[in-house]
Amino acid sequence: MKPIKKPEDPLAIWNGQDRIADNILTSVTAIIRSGGCSWNRCKMCQYRHERFVGIETGELIRLMSAQLNKLEEEINKVKPQVIKLYTSGSFLDPAEVPSEIQDKVINLVKGKTLIVESRCDYINKDKLKMMVETLKEENDSADLFIAIGLETTSDIIREKCIDKGLLYSDFQKMTEVIHACGAKVKTYLLHKPPYLTESEAHSDMMKSIKEIIPISDLISMNPCTVQRNTHVESMWKQQAYRPPYLWSVASILAGSNAHVTCDPIGGGQTRGPHNCGRCDSVILDAIRDYNLSADRDLMQSVMEMDCSCKKEWEYIMSEEKSWTMPLTR
Amino acid sequence: MKGVEILSRDGTARYGRFGVGEDTFIFPAAYQTTDLFPAISKRDLTNIPVLEDKEFVDRYLVRDGEEPVPLHIRADNEVPSGTTVITPNWHTLLTRPRDLCSFLDTLKSTIPPDTCWYLPGAALPENAAILVHAGFDLFDFIAVDLATAQGIFCLPDGRYPEKVMEEGLCSCNGCSSGNLLEHNRIALQQELAHISRRIRDGTFREYLDGRCRTKPEFVSIMRHLERSERMEQYTPVSRSGPFYATSGDSIHRVEVKRFADRLVDRYIPPVTDVAVLIPCSAKKPYSLSQSHRKFSQAIGRRAHELIMTSPLGLVPRDVELAYPAAAYDVPVTGYWDHEERYQITETLVRYFTRHPYRRVIAHLDGDARLIAQDAADKAGFELECTCQSERPTDHESLSALSQALSGERKIKSHLVRGMISFQFGYDLKAPNLEVKGSYPEQVVKRGRNLLFSTDPSHGLMRPTFDGWSLLETGYRVYIDDFVPQGDILAPGVMDADPVIRPGDEVLVIGDKAMTTGRAVMGADEMIRSSRGVAVRVRKVKKLEG
């Protein structure tokens, strides 16, 4: 493994705006390197490679604290209402993020809304209650969002296509626990994991969104991207995988009865969700606007657009089958 | 009709029919397969990519008991005769010719030949020929309809933008009414009809040679297949039509390689230690040509006549009737390219190493002589040259040739032993054989008994029962204890000599009868099939007791 450059800096840090509960809030997002995801098996995930390997806990705490110092500087500079802290795994897994670091984060963002990600396995009531209490000490409108990668409500798809090691029923129970502790749920869905036709993937998202609306406070849909050193990448190289069409992404957003946010990473590129290359940027811009405006009419108007590739997409949606796919690159 | 029946074959390409319910359909052809096989519309969420590993395949491969049965290279694929099978997602292999061919060879060696192979989502007018050649039978309209959705106008030579449709390149119903979908479907169906016709005529390989040139991967697929054991097993030993060697790839055809191999492995030359290399002639068999009459006259049977030619390399006079020596045609320019030279030199070196002569005379001009000289240097023998000018047939050259052979002893006629060794790999040492008839129609007799006759249109010797009794081993097909009524069908075949290829003369042996005839299938196919004619019967002889 290559030596890690600048281990004391976050992998990425930026500020922006986020729409939460119909309010547009300023946010700082940081991706910090951690001990790494303990599950480490999902077929599309590259983030699992971004970890410290073979270091003592003491050193891990030191390096993570150093990264948090950079986050603190950014918070002091931007004074955001929301902090999103991603560790490329589970924030609540003590093997990945030592408890000292977890506590340090809570104290750092006191009085602000915090979004962290975790697998269901590491969520426990006492810890959540303590975190919510600390956050709200000075400001009752500060919320704790636990973001969970449910990916789909279909256990069959999650098992075969992602290898997530999670059941929908476990997720459902966990949303009750989270809500009971006074925290909120952000759910990630994965649009078009491998082994699905364009239309199977589309139906999977429509159904999943519909099912989680009642139990999820925020929904974010990630169109699958071909990341390096993943199983999906090797499938893609063997022509066995094509990322979703942006038409599909737009159509899901336009057709869902909830505001689903979406950040199409690699949008418009062959490795990311893409159309023909001519209409991609218009649709990507519309999706970015929609993230903040929640204006469903905008997504609907995207679907009324025409492009020479739209017929191709319609054909793929109706004729691509599990035994003859993917039909396009 | 139930099941699958192969009616004609040309190499690995097949023409036949398959049954669905009460109905019978022919192949190769494209159909609306979701109508034909409703089960495939219910196979949602069953995707397994072609290159997926065994663990995943074992866990997620779904077989619903309906046709077409999905195959996977890493699954156990036990499929009975008569089944229609599908190779899911194999359209993604078209850009991986090596994998495509090796996977096909593997699957085809485990699955009975009398199965119908459905390749979904791949067939276009431009690739139909190579896909049929690879061994696929059944196709759909998915790829052409996708092309329609993309505004692509499909023809056998490739793809064009939709607007080209107006330029009169095709005048089908779709084109005259401006309906791209209809045109693209018709273009595919027409191409498959064309292919079907060529398979039944036994001229598909020549057709393919032209068709596959439009894309490099098609040629790659053809070249990979050409080198496969499967192609050797399924290529007929003879065809009734001409053999056109019109491209550089012709030199790699199974028939060419087989001819050279048989010269070295099977052929027994006449008893003599003098050989003359002479040029080929356009007319076949060579000995009916003007030039060869002159050569033969000058040689006066005092040497073994060996004809140097492309692409076969070397044709001894006594097997000039053997396929494809009497059937081939090549573009003649006088220029021999390097691949040809290399291949022919190789054949000459192998031949002369296996069959050494005391004297080898090259009565050749131009490039041919250079190739012979090269082969002589490599094989380590002296080459005498008798061609005095650029014309081997002129008086000076011919008398030089005759002069060079003065004092050499005449050799005996060798047609029977030569042809029999070449065709059956058997050394026939029967005395008192008489060869009669007007060449190339010949019969071989001993006394009143007819033993063999030539079949010049196929380049084969036909043995009678008496003829077979002289050939103690080889080319036998074994059947159960029944007296054949008509042709021998594949289910009746118990065993067959593995060297048998389609078109071979065979002796069928059972407890109750023996028959002579010509193999329709190769040994592999007649052993593993449950349907179709295995041997076209000529004569049946009931056995006593």
Side-chain angles (χ1 to χ4, degrees):
Chain A
M1 191 170 254
K2 282 187 209 164
I4 292 166
K5 282 182 203 160
K6 297 190 181 173
E8 296 174 4
D9 284 355
L11 285 157
I13 184 160
W14 70 91
N15 56 67
Q17 290 182 311
D18 276 74
R19 187 185 180 93
I20 293 176
D22 292 335
N23 296 311
I24 296 175
L25 307 177
T26 54
S27 64
V28 165
T29 307
I31 301 175
I32 63 168
R33 200 185 297 272
S34 67
C37 176
S38 301
W39 177 255
N40 202 21
R41 272 165 61 169
C42 299
K43 292 179 195 257
M44 70 295 175
C45 183
Q46 175 197 34
Y47 305 125
R48 61 201 184 85
H49 302 304
E50 288 166 356
R51 59 172 69 209
F52 292 116
V53 178
I55 58 172
E56 302 284 329
T57 313
E59 178 67 357
L60 178 63
I61 292 171
R62 188 185 71 78
L63 288 170
M64 291 192 74
S65 296
Q67 295 180 77
L68 291 180
N69 292 341
K70 298 277 160 52
L71 172 62
E72 189 173 4
E73 284 170 26
E74 190 73 9
I75 291 171
N76 292 339
K77 198 171 80 190
V78 180
K79 306 212 182 314
Q81 295 153 292
V82 184
I83 284 101
K84 300 192 280 184
L85 182 66
Y86 301 144
T87 62
S88 304
S90 294
F91 180 80
L92 299 176
D93 171 10
E96 183 186 334
V97 180
S99 329
E100 293 93 320
I101 295 293
Q102 296 179 9
D103 295 345
K104 186 170 174 167
V105 168
I106 297 299
N107 286 311
L108 180 66
V109 304
K110 237 186 231 182
K112 299 182 176 65
T113 289
L114 173 68
I115 304 181
V116 290
E117 300 170 317
S118 181
R119 291 175 59 84
C120 287
D121 321 60
Y122 311 112
I123 300 172
N124 85 59
K125 220 180 251 178
D126 299 339
K127 181 102 197 171
L128 279 192
K129 274 188 181 153
M130 189 274 282
M131 287 172 74
V132 171
E133 267 168 34
T134 316
L135 277 186
K136 286 183 184 285
E137 255 171 42
E138 293 164 19
N139 174 5
D140 192 52
S141 66
D143 277 317
L144 173 66
F145 278 90
I146 303 297
I148 302 171
L150 171 68
E151 319 301 6
T152 164
T153 57
S154 160
D155 287 337
I156 293 168
I157 292 175
R158 200 179 317 98
E159 171 77 10
K160 174 182 173 183
C161 311
I162 305 174
D163 194 14
K164 187 89 190 183
L166 170 69
L167 291 174
Y168 183 47
S169 55
D170 292 340
F171 169 82
Q172 285 172 305
K173 277 176 222 147
M174 203 46 72
T175 61
E176 286 167 25
V177 171
I178 293 168
H179 286 137
C181 296
K184 295 191 167 172
V185 176
K186 177 175 180 178
T187 308
Y188 290 121
L189 297 176
L190 180 67
H191 176 209
K192 205 176 179 191
Y195 312 105
L196 295 186
T197 64
E198 194 73 17
S199 91
E200 285 167 350
H202 189 277
S203 323
D204 176 46
M205 285 299 99
M206 295 304 290
K207 182 167 181 281
S208 295
I209 291 168
K210 199 176 159 195
E211 286 173 350
I212 62 170
I213 286 174
I215 54 174
S216 184
D217 303 281
L218 288 175
I219 302 172
S220 171
M221 180 178 84
N222 296 321
C224 189
T225 294
V226 179
Q227 298 178 335
R228 298 194 191 273
N229 306 317
T230 59
H231 184 72
V232 167
E233 187 187 40
S234 59
M235 290 180 68
W236 177 72
K237 286 184 176 163
Q238 293 162 355
Q239 315 216 19
Y241 179 72
R242 185 209 191 276
Y245 280 82
L246 286 169
W247 290 117
S248 296
V249 177
S251 148
I252 293 163
L253 299 181
S256 294
N257 280 325
H259 179 226
V260 175
T261 56
C262 176
D263 179 14
I265 296 166
Q269 297 167 25
T270 48
R271 282 174 172 266
H274 66 277
N275 284 350
C276 62
R278 286 184 294 273
C279 57
D280 299 52
S281 56
V282 180
I283 300 179
L284 287 166
D285 286 346
I287 293 170
R288 277 182 210 112
D289 286 353
Y290 177 69
N291 279 333
L292 282 188
S293 72
D295 174 9
R296 187 103 28 89
D297 291 346
L298 176 66
M299 293 322 296
Q300 255 137 20
S301 70
V302 164
M303 292 315 293
E304 280 154 26
M305 265 172 36
D306 204 9
C307 181
S308 59
C309 69
K310 200 172 177 189
K311 270 191 188 160
E312 172 187 297
W313 172 70
E314 286 163 353
Y315 182 78
I316 297 297
M317 282 292 282
S318 87
E319 300 303 324
E320 189 176 74
K321 302 286 192 277
S322 58
W323 36 270
T324 175
M325 63 165 273
L327 283 173
T328 50
R329 286 294 276 164
Chain B
M1 154 189 169
K2 265 189 97 91
V4 175
E5 185 172 16
I6 315 291
L7 299 168
S8 298
R9 38 186 83 58
D10 192 344
T12 45
R14 307 106 60 83
Y15 168 84
R17 54 188 180 189
F18 65 104
V20 178
E22 300 293 298
D23 301 315
T24 300
F25 301 88
I26 61 133
F27 62 78
Y31 295 98
Q32 191 73 45
T33 49
T34 43
D35 292 347
L36 236 51
F37 306 105
I40 53 175
S41 297
K42 296 179 192 125
R43 292 180 184 170
D44 288 347
L45 303 176
T46 59
N47 176 254
I48 296 181
V50 182
L51 297 165
E52 198 53 72
D53 63 32
K54 184 162 172 30
E55 194 190 330
F56 188 90
V57 174
D58 287 345
R59 190 152 170 212
Y60 291 110
L61 178 65
V62 179
R63 289 196 171 127
D64 53 18
E66 300 286 332
E67 289 182 286
V69 175
L71 303 180
H72 197 283
I73 188 74
R74 300 201 172 101
D76 295 327
N77 299 292
E78 273 206 30
V79 174
S81 277
T83 309
T84 296
V85 296
I86 179 173
T87 49
N89 310 306
W90 276 40
H91 67 287
T92 58
L93 282 180
L94 294 186
T95 51
R96 307 170 78 96
R98 186 195 305 263
D99 283 343
L100 174 73
C101 297
S102 87
F103 291 178
L104 260 176
D105 285 346
T106 305
L107 289 182
K108 289 260 179 185
S109 70
T110 57
I111 286 168
D114 50 345
T115 44
C116 177
W117 288 61
Y118 169 31
L119 173 62
L124 290 169
E126 67 186 33
N127 65 20
I130 193 70
L131 297 179
V132 170
H133 184 56
F136 293 106
D137 308 304
L138 180 60
F139 307 96
D140 53 35
F141 297 112
I142 292 173
V144 279
D145 287 355
L146 173 63
T148 304
Q150 294 168 327
I152 294 168
F153 176 58
C154 298
L155 287 175
D157 65 322
R159 308 169 206 198
Y160 299 86
E162 185 169 8
K163 61 178 192 301
V164 173
M165 200 175 167
E166 296 154 15
E167 296 176 13
L169 276 66
C170 173
S171 52
C172 73
N173 275 341
C175 284
S176 28
S177 61
N179 184 335
L180 182 63
L181 181 107
E182 193 181 354
H183 160 80
N184 281 342
R185 287 186 170 208
I186 289 174
L188 175 60
Q189 282 170 314
Q190 231 164 34
E191 177 66 6
L192 285 162
H194 215 141
I195 292 164
S196 296
R197 170 40 53 200
R198 287 297 201 128
I199 294 171
R200 282 173 287 166
D201 287 350
T203 58
F204 174 67
R205 184 57 178 71
E206 275 79 9
Y207 181 75
L208 174 81
D209 214 335
R211 276 303 196 231
C212 73
R213 302 293 154 186
T214 53
K215 268 198 176 173
E217 56 260 38
F218 303 160
V219 179
S220 300
I221 294 171
M222 182 176 78
R223 289 180 182 167
H224 281 299
L225 289 169
E226 210 65 85
R227 286 163 173 71
S228 80
E229 181 58 27
R230 179 162 67 100
M231 192 55 72
E232 211 297 318
Q233 287 178 0
Y234 281 78
T235 299
V237 78
S238 86
R239 289 185 173 87
S240 57
F243 178 100
Y244 290 133
T246 48
S247 78
D249 286 303
S250 308
I251 206 159
H252 301 294
R253 280 180 62 169
V254 166
E255 293 93 329
V256 173
K257 188 172 176 298
R258 188 184 278 163
F259 194 92
D261 287 346
R262 288 186 176 193
L263 277 186
V264 175
D265 302 335
R266 295 185 166 193
Y267 173 64
I268 297 165
V271 183
T272 176
D273 52 9
V274 183
V276 179
L277 287 164
I278 49 180
C280 63
S281 63
K283 191 172 175 71
K284 311 286 180 323
Y286 305 118
S287 44
L288 300 183
S289 74
Q290 290 251 335
S291 59
H292 277 240
R293 280 170 212 258
K294 288 178 184 165
F295 297 143
S296 295
Q297 203 172 9
I299 293 164
R301 295 174 60 185
R302 290 170 297 174
H304 189 205
E305 298 174 23
L306 302 171
I307 297 106
M308 243 187 81
T309 179
S310 176
L312 294 181
L314 190 70
V315 180
R317 171 71 72 207
D318 34 298
V319 294
E320 69 171 17
L321 292 181
Y323 184 85
Y328 77 93
D329 206 349
V330 288
V332 179
T333 57
Y335 170 81
W336 304 52
D337 69 35
H338 281 269
E339 186 79 359
E340 259 177 321
R341 282 184 182 213
Y342 173 80
Q343 191 90 1
I344 294 168
T345 307
E346 197 74 353
T347 303
L348 261 62
V349 169
R350 284 173 71 203
Y351 178 85
F352 284 110
T353 308
R354 176 81 175 76
H355 308 294
Y357 294 80
R358 176 171 52 88
R359 294 178 68 195
V360 179
I361 298 167
H363 193 70
L364 301 165
D365 62 324
D367 282 358
R369 185 159 71 198
L370 295 178
I371 295 168
Q373 188 59 59
D374 191 18
D377 294 346
K378 285 193 171 120
F381 62 85
E382 287 287 319
L383 197 66
E384 303 170 42
C385 295
T386 50
C387 197
Q388 302 295 301
S389 66
E390 284 306 296
R391 300 198 50 215
T393 50
D394 72 13
H395 182 72
E396 233 190 329
S397 295
L398 289 172
S399 52
L401 173 59
S402 178
Q403 201 67 46
L405 290 167
S406 71
E408 298 295 351
R409 283 161 53 190
K410 287 199 173 194
I411 60 173
K412 285 182 182 163
S413 164
H414 190 64
L415 173 84
V416 184
R417 195 173 170 209
M419 278 292 275
I420 294 291
S421 67
F422 190 86
Q423 183 179 335
F424 297 103
Y426 188 82
D427 184 7
L428 182 66
K429 287 186 193 140
N432 308 322
L433 299 184
E434 289 173 77
V435 179
K436 290 181 172 171
S438 97
Y439 195 80
E441 309 279 347
Q442 305 269 277
V443 293
V444 182
K445 287 180 155 180
R446 185 157 58 186
R448 288 176 150 196
N449 277 348
L450 176 65
L451 301 174
F452 305 99
S453 58
T454 59
D455 172 3
S457 68
H458 288 89
L460 292 171
M461 292 292 263
R462 281 178 300 221
T464 62
F465 285 113
D466 289 339
W468 276 111
S469 68
L470 298 180
L471 310 178
E472 287 162 30
T473 60
Y475 289 87
R476 264 58 171 184
V477 173
Y478 297 93
I479 57 169
D480 222 343
D481 57 343
F482 63 92
V483 178
Q485 309 290 319
D487 294 328
I488 308 292
L489 302 178
V493 174
M494 312 286 289
D495 199 6
D497 186 345
V499 300
I500 296 169
R501 300 289 172 264
D504 259 325
E505 284 292 317
V506 293
L507 178 66
V508 180
I509 302 173
D511 290 346
K512 296 238 169 76
M514 284 212 294
T515 76
T516 58
R518 189 161 287 177
V520 175
M521 301 173 176
D524 179 69
E525 192 176 359
M526 60 174 84
I527 292 168
R528 297 198 297 129
S529 290
S530 309
R531 189 154 196 163
V533 175
V535 179
R536 196 75 71 198
V537 167
R538 198 158 47 238
K539 286 241 162 78
V540 181
K541 188 159 86 180
K542 282 189 201 171
L543 298 177
E544 304 295 318

